[in-house]
Amino acid sequence: AKDLKDIKKKKIGIFTDKIDELDYKDTAKLKRFLSEAGKILPRRITGTCAKHQRMLSNTVKKAREAGLTGYVFEN
């Protein structure tokens, strides 16, 4: 008999593979993937696959450069 720890539930990605590019101007969607301190959340928390996590981090960085999202959030 397997322990419950041995059985892993497969994570389903937040994005489907149909998505080619995220829009850096959509700040409402991007803020879901940022912590309260303004850091990009890791894959294990967001549930994205590696391909989409790279796309997400590049999009957040692009939005920061454009001044749409901050590097640090203020309380």
Side-chain angles (χ1 to χ4, degrees), residues 7-60:
I7 300 172
K8 289 185 178 181
K9 184 178 177 187
K10 184 168 172 35
K11 279 190 180 179
I12 299 171
I14 281 258
F15 304 112
T16 58
D17 287 331
K18 292 180 267 184
I19 213 168
D20 289 331
E21 191 170 330
L22 286 170
D23 189 17
Y24 70 95
K25 292 174 246 165
D26 189 4
T27 57
K29 188 180 276 188
L30 291 179
K31 283 190 179 186
R32 276 183 34 191
F33 300 102
L34 298 175
S35 70
E36 291 177 7
K39 294 182 177 183
I40 301 170
L41 294 173
R43 280 180 54 201
R44 66 179 184 272
I45 295 175
T46 60
T48 58
C49 66
K51 173 184 170 186
H52 289 121
Q53 182 69 21
R54 285 192 301 271
M55 185 191 325
L56 175 71
S57 66
N58 288 332
T59 305
V60 168

